[in-house]
Amino acid sequence: MIYADYNATAPLRPEARDAMMTALEIGANPSSVHGPGRAARKVLEAARKQVATAIRGLPQDIVFTSGGTEAAALAIQGVVRKLEQDCTLLVSAIEHEAVSKNAGHSGAAVETVYVQPSGAIDLDQLSDRLKVWDADRSGTPVLVLMLANNETGVIQPVQAAAAMVREAGGLTICDAVQGLGKLPLNVSLLGADYLMLSAHKAGGPQGAGALWMRSGAPLLPTVFGGGQERSLRSGTENLSGIAGFGAAAEAASRDLEKMESLASYRDAMETRLEREAGVTVFGKDVPRLPNTSNFAYDGFRAETQVMAMDLAGVAVSSGSACSSGKVRRSVVLSAMGAPDTLAECAIRTSYGWRSRLEDFEQTADAWLDILQRRNLKETA
Ligand code: PLP
């Protein structure tokens, strides 16, 4: 089987597995004062340092959560609560549901930041909106913008957008779930006030994640209890998951060069699919994650392609698969102005730390073969 669905979940890295096994053996609570408890605490703090290092941040600014979704909930709902809803969330049209739904449920006013057909947000629209910002009416502007899109891989101009928002007296919440391990990350350069991370997209386990926050940034907890994680996220820490997260973050940062080299394999695959089948590749004209390719063939529905690819031994996903496994039209491609009929025919391939050139070549072989058989059937 060729696995080309890293943006859904990356296979567990061996370093993460080892770290998890070691942590599981400890079998103690990091809040306990006895020896085993202190050993657990040491593992927790070592992982915090590894995750912080991967984003060039400080360990004390990391809050561990159960994943990207919970990090988004903490950031968005925590900021809105701290600002007593005297704010407006400026949410990009292509955010993951983990983010957009938390914005929608936060109780704050929400405005949309549109994207251009390229897949990147419209910085002019954002700038125009901020120029006429009326703080008495709209409160603090809070930009909610992802670093890289999970479907197209398009990298968003977070640094420029966050600078504009800061200038206007606002805050920026950035979902970097798809960025970790695929792009060099530096929170100081990025300029966001909050950054969401998830372990399983970088070769760590599912069910672990983190929120980085700029020291002093406003935030209230959304989960209450024993006061773990500086009282920002109560609940006994998922020690093995967090240990795996730390190890994966470290390994992924070390492997960044390899990740970058995937772009040339990806580009060669796309060139072939364009030449031999005339596919539409989304997000091609702007900076993109090196591992992601989202393409469509008009009239060939995504779910049919995904099933046929699975039968051919290649695991890919459609534009946006929801948790029930049903395929829905991609909000992201629609926001980019793709016609509905084309958006329904888009599949996403995404690669990662274990992928080789052959994986890309065999993905193209399998897909072209499937298309040919389908076309023969259509004309028969
Ligand atoms: N944000 C983005 C961009 C994602 O791709 C995902 C997962 O698909 C999430 C957030 C949610 O992360 P998690 O699965 O860790 O809750």
Side-chain angles (χ1 to χ4, degrees):
M1 176 60 100
I2 292 168
Y3 188 74
D5 204 12
Y6 276 70
N7 286 9
T9 284
L12 193 68
R13 289 174 180 269
E15 299 88 342
R17 186 189 305 267
D18 291 348
M20 291 175 77
M21 294 310 287
T22 306
L24 282 169
E25 289 299 324
I26 295 176
N29 191 319
S31 297
S32 297
V33 291
H34 46 61
R38 291 199 305 278
R41 167 68 52 187
K42 212 168 151 194
V43 168
L44 183 69
E45 296 313 322
R48 197 185 306 280
K49 200 164 167 205
Q50 286 171 312
V51 172
T53 304
I55 60 170
R56 309 232 169 197
L58 296 172
Q60 60 265 35
D61 298 333
I62 298 283
V63 179
F64 284 119
T65 65
S66 67
T69 302
E70 197 196 312
L74 174 58
I76 295 169
Q77 312 225 23
V79 167
V80 170
R81 269 167 40 80
K82 181 74 185 178
L83 299 179
E84 296 176 341
Q85 298 195 351
D86 187 19
C87 59
T88 297
L89 301 175
L90 299 166
V91 183
S92 97
I94 53 166
E95 293 304 301
H96 189 277
E97 281 190 331
V99 169
S100 58
K101 291 211 167 157
N102 270 296
H105 286 282
S106 69
V110 175
E111 292 180 19
T112 303
V113 177
Y114 294 103
V115 295
Q116 300 166 302
S118 65
I121 59 153
D122 186 343
L123 278 176
D124 291 336
Q125 181 223 343
L126 178 65
S127 159
D128 290 347
R129 177 67 190 92
L130 291 170
K131 269 184 207 142
V132 296
W133 196 266
D134 178 353
D136 289 336
R137 245 176 82 179
S138 306
T140 303
V142 180
L143 175 67
V144 182
L145 176 61
M146 67 197 335
L147 182 59
N149 185 263
N150 43 302
E151 292 182 37
T152 60
V154 170
I155 298 166
Q156 300 301 316
V158 174
Q159 195 177 1
M164 284 179 193
V165 172
R166 197 178 327 115
E167 181 80 24
L171 298 162
T172 296
I173 298 174
C174 177
D175 173 0
V177 163
Q178 293 291 347
L180 183 67
K182 297 176 189 145
L183 294 173
L185 294 181
N186 182 326
V187 279
S188 312
L189 292 181
L190 204 58
D193 300 279
Y194 311 86
L195 197 83
M196 285 92 88
L197 302 169
S198 174
H200 72 109
K201 310 287 186 179
Q206 295 162 341
L211 177 68
W212 170 88
M213 54 188 289
R214 178 178 53 72
S215 166
L219 194 79
L220 279 182
T222 52
V223 174
F224 302 90
Q228 290 87 346
E229 298 297 293
R230 292 187 283 136
S231 289
L232 286 168
R233 198 281 188 179
S234 283
T236 301
E237 298 86 349
N238 168 12
L239 190 70
S240 62
I242 290 170
F245 183 15
E250 188 175 277
S253 307
R254 188 196 58 218
D255 277 1
L256 270 177
E257 249 174 56
K258 186 202 163 191
M259 189 59 92
E260 279 161 21
S261 73
L262 295 183
S264 62
Y265 305 158
R266 186 269 317 269
D267 293 347
M269 178 181 82
E270 288 179 346
T271 303
R272 188 171 157 213
L273 295 177
E274 285 174 316
R275 194 182 57 232
E276 294 184 30
V279 298
T280 301
V281 177
F282 294 100
K284 225 184 116 179
D285 302 324
V286 282
R288 250 187 315 164
L289 293 176
N291 75 320
T292 307
S293 177
N294 188 316
F295 58 88
Y297 184 88
D298 214 352
F300 193 7
R301 290 183 65 85
E303 57 264 43
T304 315
Q305 296 181 56
V306 171
M307 282 187 289
M309 288 293 273
D310 188 34
L311 285 174
V314 188
V316 302
S317 77
S318 68
S320 76
C322 66
S323 54
S324 66
K326 276 203 210 118
V327 176
R328 283 178 297 178
R329 186 180 309 131
S330 158
V331 171
V332 174
L333 300 183
S334 297
M336 288 165 66
D340 289 351
T341 47
L342 192 62
E344 283 164 7
C345 297
I347 63 166
R348 176 189 72 186
T349 62
S350 51
Y351 302 83
W353 65 270
R354 220 159 52 182
S355 305
R356 303 149 309 150
L357 172 62
E358 299 88 271
D359 294 341
F360 292 80
E361 291 173 343
Q362 286 168 25
T363 303
D365 290 344
W367 191 84
L368 287 166
D369 184 53
I370 286 163
L371 180 71
Q372 197 183 26
R373 279 190 282 131
R374 176 244 185 207
N375 288 349
L376 280 176
K377 229 195 272 168
E378 296 258 301
T379 51

